[in-house]
Structures are given as C-alpha cells and as structure tokens.
Amino acid sequence: MKEIILTPKELPDVGLIAETITPDLFAGKSIGKIASLLIFAGNQRKKLGDFFEVAGKSADDASDTRIVIKGDITKVKMVGKGTKAGEIVIEGSAGMYVGEEMRGGKITVLGNVDSFAGQTMRGGELVIKGNAGDYLGAAYRGDWRGMRGGVILVEGNAGAETGLFMVGGKIKIKGNCGTFAGVHMKKGLIIIEGQTPERAGAEMTGGSIVVMGDTDILPTFAPVNEEKNPEIDGEKLKGTFQTYSGDHAERGAKGMLYKFV
Amino acid sequence: MQESLSKRCTVASDVVCPFCGTLCDDIEVDVKDNKITDVRHACRIGTAKFFSVLEEGRPTKPLIRKNGVMVETTVDTAVKKAAEILKKSIRPLLYGWSSTSCEAHAHGIAIAEEVGGVIDGTTSVCHGPSVLAIQDVGCPSCTLAEVKNRADLVIYWGCNPMHAHPRHLSRYTIYPRGYFRERGHQDRELIVIDVRKTDTAKIANKFIKVDYGRDYELLGAIRAAVNGNEINAEVVGGVTKEEIQKLAEKLKNCQFGVIFFGMGLTMTSAKHRNIDNAICLTKDLNRHTKFSIMPMRGHYNVTGFGEVLTWQTGYPYAVDFSTGYPRYNPGETSANDVLQRGEADAALIVASDPVAHFPRKSVEYLAKMPLIYIGPHHTPTSLLADVFIPSTFVGIETGGTAYRMDTVPLYAKKVVDGPKGVLSDEEILERIYKEIVRGK
Ligand code: SF4
C-alpha cells in the first residue's frame, strides 16, 4: 500500500469543504496534482495544497492508496465523501460528514468526529476511536433510506438520531448513545454497549437494536421473551436479553429491541 | 379607499394584517392626513402593529458606524457600504425575512447566491423542526377555508392561539359558520393538549394535560390505539391508557379533524420527532376519516420565505450557496450553527431581531462581525449594526405578497405613505444587489 501524507497548515475559521480528500481521487495522481485538487473555504475556491502539506506517493489504484492526515481537522468537512476503496487515517479529530456516502474502503479517525459521519453510507468500514456527533450513519434530510450497508464502529459515545432511517449495515457503539437511536429504522443492526437515555427504536418498523446499558423503553414496544446468547445478523451476543417488538405506534412493525438483563 | 363623511377620513378596507401567520384580510383602517386614526376588526396585537408606524423616534435616516459611533448618512452611501461588506465576506450570513414581503425575499436570495452566502429565515428557530419532519414523512394538510367549512374536530397541541393568533379561532376554526358547519361552534369540538391550562384550553370542550416533554410518547400511544395496537403502560405522559383509547376513538369517528401545533411541540424534548409522530398520527387517521395537520406559523410572512426559497433553490431555509449551488442541512447550514462554529464573517439581517432572540453565544459572534441591518425599528440588532438602513412597514406603508400559515398567498396592501426618503426592504435589497453585481 502506498501512502499520501497530508499535514494540515493553519486552517481558516470559516471551515473547509474537502470532499476531494478520498483515495479514489488521489489514486494515480502526482503530488502536484493532488495539491491542486479543489477545496472550498467559505465561498472561495482554493487548492488542497493551500491548507495541507502533501507528501508521499499514491498508487495507481485507489485500493492500494492510503491517506494519512497528520493532525486535527475539526474544521474540515466531508473528508472521504463517497470513498469506494483504499484507506484514510485521520490522526486527530475530524469535522462533519466524515465518510458520507461511503461505499467501500476504510476510514479510521483517532479522535472525535462531528455530526453526520457515515451519512447514507452503503459499504466499507468507518472506525471512530473517540466520540461521534449526532446523526451518525443517518439519512440525509428527507431521505427515507439512510445507511444501507457497511460497518460503523465508535469506541466512545455517539449523539442523537444514530442510524436514522437505517436500511442495512451495522453500527456498534462501545460507549453511550444519544436519544432516538435507530429512529425510523427498517433493517440493519445497532449495538449500544453503554446506555441510551430513551426512545431507542422510535417509529422503527424493522431491524434490531441491542442495548447493554440502561434505557427507558417506549410504551409502544411490547415485551416478547428472554433470549440467551442470541445471534443477530451474524453478531454473537453474550448474556441474557429481554426482547421487545415495536414500534407499535406503526402498523405491522417488526423491529426488535434487545435489552441486556 | 372611500371617503367616510362622518369622520372626514379615508377608509381602507379588506386590508391584510401584517402581524401573525393568521394573516386576517378583513381589516379596516381609517386614515386622515396620511395618519392612521383607527383600525377595526384586527385583534389587539394586530391593531398595535398598525399603530406602531406612528412610534416616536422612528429611525428615518440610514446610519453607518464610524470610529465606533453611528452617524447619519445617505441611502446611497449605506447601500455602497453594505455591498462592500457582503462582497468582501467569504461566508456571509443573510438572516431574518419573516416580517417582509416575498418580493424582498426574492432580492435577498439573489444577493445570497451572488455573494455565495448562507441564507436562513427565522423558521430556523421556530418551525424549523416542523420542516424537518415534513421532509421526513410528508404533510397531509389543507387550507384554513377547508377547516372553516368542514372541520368538526379541532385540536390545538402545544399552542395558545388565544394569545399568539387571537383571531384564528374566530375566523377559521371554532366560531365561524361554515358550509357544512352551519351552527358554527355548536357543530365543532375543540380539544386542547398542552402542559398547562392555557386560555385556549379554558374554552375547549376537552383539555388534556400532558407531562412536560412527554408529547412524543403520548402521540405514539395515540397512534398505537388508532392502529389497534396494545399500549404497554397504564399511564403515558400523564394521560391514562383508557383516556388515550377514548381519544383515539373520538379522532377516528369525526368527519373532518385537524391538528394545529405550535412551539410546545416543535421546541420541546423530541422536537422534530414530535411533529414527525403527529404527522404520522394524521396519516394513520386518514385510514379512518379525513384528518389534516398544520403548523401555527408565527410571523405573518415566515411561510412566504419558505415558499420563495423553495421555488428558487429547492430548500425552505438554511441554504448555503458557498459552493455555487444550493446546499441544505440544518445543523450545518442553519444560522445558529454557522455562528456558533464561528464560520460567518459578516451578516445581513432583514426584518427580524436575532440579537434579542438568539442564544448568547451566537450573539457574541454577531457582535464581532460587520453587521448590516434593514428594518423599520431600532432593535437590539440595530444597536449592534455597522450599517443600519431603516425601511418601511410592509403591509402598511408598502404593498407586498405574504403567505398565510396554510400557504395561501395574499397581497398585503399599502394604506399610508412611509416617512419621506425611507425605502422599502424590497427597494433597499434591490439596490444592494445592483451595487454588488455592478461592473461584473
Ligand atoms: S390574528 Fe394575527 S393576523 Fe389577525 S388581526 Fe390578529 S395579529 Fe393580525
């Protein structure tokens, strides 16, 4: 695998839109070409090289290209948007929309990410070592098909409306999760190892949500039974779980909520 | 206008009240020597709006900040200065719009596109959550005329029209006689759901007190009952299961029901998910009867801004033109988010007062950047402005189109001339736009 190293210079307060930072666009390009890729700073059309030192070498193929970002890019939005192959490692925290519309490859963020990470993701792997903001793996505003495939792993906590309108894939959160996890979910799996205050699975019609920690279950969920070491979508869980079906505010809802007991 | 001999004044009739989203269009205004002397048919707050044009100390001259103090200047200089600020900015925020005409909106949007800015309306801090929910799950709505002529069950949820939209009940929902509701309020039932017994709740046939922040659960439980599903709690949000089931039956068995909702739903606990669930309840009810839902829009033309922005960009508020095409995502491109992340570097505020209403952190940022303010009054925002261009009152001193809360457009008439030399929002914005594109 060949590596391109991006070292952030001073980043402007207005924030950057950097959807060009993806292995798919870097592959087969010289350092000079990469440094001249388009980045928006507010309404200004700028070059990637204006804000990042670019070093290393890219492979001809995206799947052999790894982008390493050395430092904090909290002010940078849309890194890795639509990534199909290859790898991105962010050695700090990242801004909004990391891995938005991702279809393949892997993005690892060592710090935290802002809201809308992995929005409408279809494939690949998004690993966040810190915390995630709101709308992790969610749908775009007004879309009724959110995350369709791939895996999101958060080692810290996640915010509200994680997996909104989820129709496939997996989201695992090692820490706690905000309200409305899996709201309107139709398919797929969300595992919350910590607690989630309330309203998990609100208006869900399918899919599964597992909560290991505390949570208040909506009155429109119905207890089903107790299951030992259940296997859901290929994930083997250890322990005894009280299962609930719902959300019965909806007609014919087939969502499942697993609460660790 | 016609002469009224007894009073020796002119009477403007069928005037539209430019105050709240009810947009009453039956107001009569007496005018003598270009002064409003009486206002009839309007409610108290509407009447006060008409008389506010007579306010003492009303600003008539543009002001510009020089060495920290505001000094009088000409419209030309102020317009030039405003255009300069906007042209220089790399992330300008254009905010407000709810109390001006659609014609002014069109110019504002043109400016936003030209300068690659973020344009957002007061919807953002008001019914923004309703818009998000509508985009997620749709909106079975109707016009207020349909409510007037057909509704036999009216629900006000989390709103208090007796104070915020005083003529809503008398013009459209409860008291008027409609085509199919000949006996007026005797043919209708009013249910109010709120966290406290408001003045609207006091006149309701039924008041349901919901625990604070539990509207979402209550809505879900009513939906479950309507859909024939079990509710797994004896009490939901302070309302017993039995009562919820009775209510569900009542809703299913009316002929034409309508839910009006306000800030009590949009701005508490589940926010847009409250609206989402309320809309889904309306959809569920349409399997049994005819049901509609409508947000109680506040400012008289907040709906209009959403309409104009939508037909021009595809999105109703929080539109970001920085990349050259419209992008939309409240949470990123909404006014408070752009301010609190410290992104905006200049602001144009029109027909609203964010300094009085935004969170402190946002105001702190607003205070730091060059600020242009266009509006008829001195407000906390005008005090922070670097350029202040006073304008006329739309619907009183300038005509213009406004949209009622049910998205019916009405033309708000001019009844008196504005102060000499004071331009309308529309004219000022058009001149700023022309100044920006000049020489391009
Ligand atoms: S209800 Fe609203 S529109 Fe009607 S008169 Fe009162 S303030 Fe004006």
Side-chain angles (χ1 to χ4, degrees), chain B residues 17 19-24 27 41-43 45-46 164-168:
Chain B
C17 167
F19 188 77
C20 86
T22 313
L23 216 59
C24 301
I27 315 297
H41 303 239
C43 69
I45 46 180
H165 300 80
R167 297 183 72 213
H168 201 261

Side-chain angles (χ1 to χ4, degrees), chain A residues 17 43 75 77-78 96-97 135 140-142 161 184 198-199 202-203 219 221-222 248-251, chain B residues 90 115 135-136 213-214 216-217 223 227 229 232 269 272-273 276 287 327-330 332 341 343:
Chain A
I17 293 185
N43 55 19
K75 287 258 162 204
K77 299 170 193 168
M78 293 191 198
M96 292 181 172
Y97 309 101
Y135 293 98
Y140 176 66
R141 302 278 180 208
E161 304 218 359
H184 280 293
E198 56 180 1
R199 296 169 179 159
E203 295 170 76
F221 276 77
H248 295 301
E250 303 283 334
R251 274 176 304 115
Chain B
I90 63 171
V115 299
Q135 286 170 337
D136 274 352
R214 293 295 118 192
Y216 186 84
E217 281 73 12
R223 287 186 64 199
N227 289 328
N229 294 332
N232 294 293
S269 186
H272 54 302
R273 294 295 156 219
D276 167 342
R287 295 174 61 82
R327 278 178 63 240
Y328 161 85
N329 192 10
E332 188 215 343
R341 282 198 313 273
E343 289 183 4

Side-chain angles (χ1 to χ4, degrees), chain A residues 149-166:
Chain A
V151 177
I152 299 179
L153 175 67
V154 180
E155 298 200 350
N157 306 324
E161 304 218 359
T162 294
L164 160 70
F165 279 109
M166 192 167 173

Side-chain angles (χ1 to χ4, degrees), chain A residues 34-47:
Chain A
I34 290 171
S36 58
L37 284 170
L38 175 69
I39 277 193
F40 282 97
N43 55 19
Q44 308 287 302
R45 298 170 82 91
K46 296 279 190 183
K47 292 190 176 113

